Amino acid sequence: MDCVFCKIANGEIPSKKAYEDDRILGFYDLDPQAPTHILLIPKEHLSSVREITPENSGIVAHIFEVAAQLAEELGLSNGFRIVTNCGEDGGQTVPHLHFHLLGGRSMKWPPG
Ligand code: AMP
Ligand code: ZN
């Protein structure tokens, strides 16, 4: 499949890895929006949050567990943000489910 994050997951496209296990990958965003900006993806292709079902939703819990662990390891003790963009209005540019882990600066609310 012609999906950039599938290619990162299978090593066809290089990335700077922050975390990997058999089910998920964490890698640094090419265009960081905060001092720490990591993307966490399932290795299995899901296009967005829209494809989360009762059968596959365990991967989301796993991603959040790893995100919290990474935030701790990376010293984001003052807080951090986890974001997933969905569809055009959500600002999603890569159609493979991913969660942004952002930290190292104070975040604004609401987001733009
Ligand atoms: P989104 O706009 O929520 O779909 O997020 C996609 C993110 O992927 C953006 O923050 C991009 O900077 C990032 N991105 C796109 N291609 C790559 C790549 N090859 N390696 C790392 N990050 C990427
Ligand atoms: Zn994919």
Side-chain angles (χ1 to χ4, degrees), residues 5 9 18 33 38 49 58 61 66 76 79 84 87 90 95:
F5 285 0
Q33 302 301 314
I38 291 168
V49 168
V66 169
L76 304 179
T84 186

Side-chain angles (χ1 to χ4, degrees), residues 31-112:
D31 181 21
Q33 302 301 314
T36 297
H37 187 171
I38 291 168
L39 300 173
L40 288 153
I41 66 168
K43 289 186 172 179
E44 179 196 1
H45 182 87
L46 298 171
S47 296
S48 76
V49 168
R50 287 186 175 122
E51 291 191 359
I52 297 170
T53 65
E55 288 70 37
N56 66 23
S57 63
I59 200 76
V60 179
H62 182 54
I63 283 174
F64 272 72
E65 282 169 30
V66 169
Q69 181 190 314
L70 276 174
E72 171 95 19
E73 286 170 15
L74 295 168
L76 304 179
S77 54
N78 213 40
F80 54 89
R81 184 171 288 178
I82 297 171
V83 175
T84 186
N85 300 322
C86 181
E88 196 178 337
D89 279 1
Q92 184 178 10
T93 60
V94 177
H96 179 126
L97 179 64
H98 54 281
F99 295 83
H100 299 256
L101 171 61
L102 298 147
R105 68 168 171 84
S106 178
M107 306 286 163
K108 303 270 183 292
W109 191 263

